[in-house]
Amino acid sequence: PPTPEAPDLTIWVGQWLKITSRYNGYLAQSSKLSAKRASVVGYIKFRSWNPDQNVLQADLYQYDNQMSQWVSETLPIQFLAGSKLDFLGLSQVTGNFTSGFTARIQGKEKGGVLERATFKTMGGFYVEVISESESGSASEASEHDAGGLSMNGTLIPESNVPEAILH
């Protein structure tokens, strides 16, 4: 959607948030559905601000237990409305794991430095393709995971980010 002129969001660049993501949905295996709930702690780092597109570019880091390592995905956040310290953002990422949400991002600054911040989604969704049939036919066995997504987080210093993410 068209967005109003965004304020300069460069105060967010280089900042880290510790995020808790909660997934509440269903796992679809062949012809049966089973409830699925999960909670995952991760981190968001704001990388850059693109004033031409009104996008705050970020990376989301979460620990993958199956691979025993941290994985990241690009997380573009489109400015929708607000001020540089209290705004609404929209994000949608599409791939094997598709997610979308609208979030309120609030901060407090002192002397031009961001000292506190919160991140809270106001609704979101996720769809994950866990496995597909060999032929790609929907009638054959495949697994999908889909449901609601909520994310909440707070600003943290980089020294509190796990060392494995930083290198």
Side-chain angles (χ1 to χ4, degrees), residues 17-136:
L17 299 171
K18 185 174 183 179
I19 298 287
T20 299
S21 301
R22 290 181 178 82
Y23 304 93
N24 184 10
Y26 295 93
L27 176 62
Q29 297 172 303
S30 298
S31 61
K32 71 175 189 170
L33 291 176
S34 54
K36 180 178 179 185
R37 294 177 191 261
S39 180
V40 178
V41 173
Y43 299 87
I44 289 177
K45 181 178 186 181
F46 295 111
R47 277 192 290 123
S48 64
W49 165 242
N50 182 331
D52 296 330
Q53 295 181 349
N54 293 345
V55 172
L56 188 59
Q57 199 64 254
D59 291 316
L60 172 65
Y61 297 86
Q62 293 182 321
Y63 193 77
D64 184 322
N65 288 320
Q66 291 178 341
M67 295 172 37
S68 298
Q69 68 183 20
W70 287 95
V71 294
S72 69
E73 68 178 294
T74 300
L75 188 68
I77 300 174
Q78 176 78 47
F79 174 87
L80 293 177
S83 67
K84 77 174 184 178
L85 295 176
D86 189 3
F87 63 95
L88 299 177
L90 169 71
S91 184
Q92 182 164 328
V93 177
T94 303
N96 277 352
F97 184 87
T98 299
S99 66
F101 61 80
T102 304
R104 182 175 185 186
I105 303 168
Q106 294 179 281
K108 299 265 188 224
E109 72 175 315
K110 186 175 183 179
V113 176
L114 196 61
E115 65 175 10
R116 290 192 317 256
T118 58
F119 179 100
K120 182 175 179 152
T121 59
M122 298 173 293
F125 69 91
Y126 74 97
V127 178
E128 181 177 12
V129 176
I130 299 170
S131 66
E132 291 189 84
S133 63
E134 293 275 329
S135 69

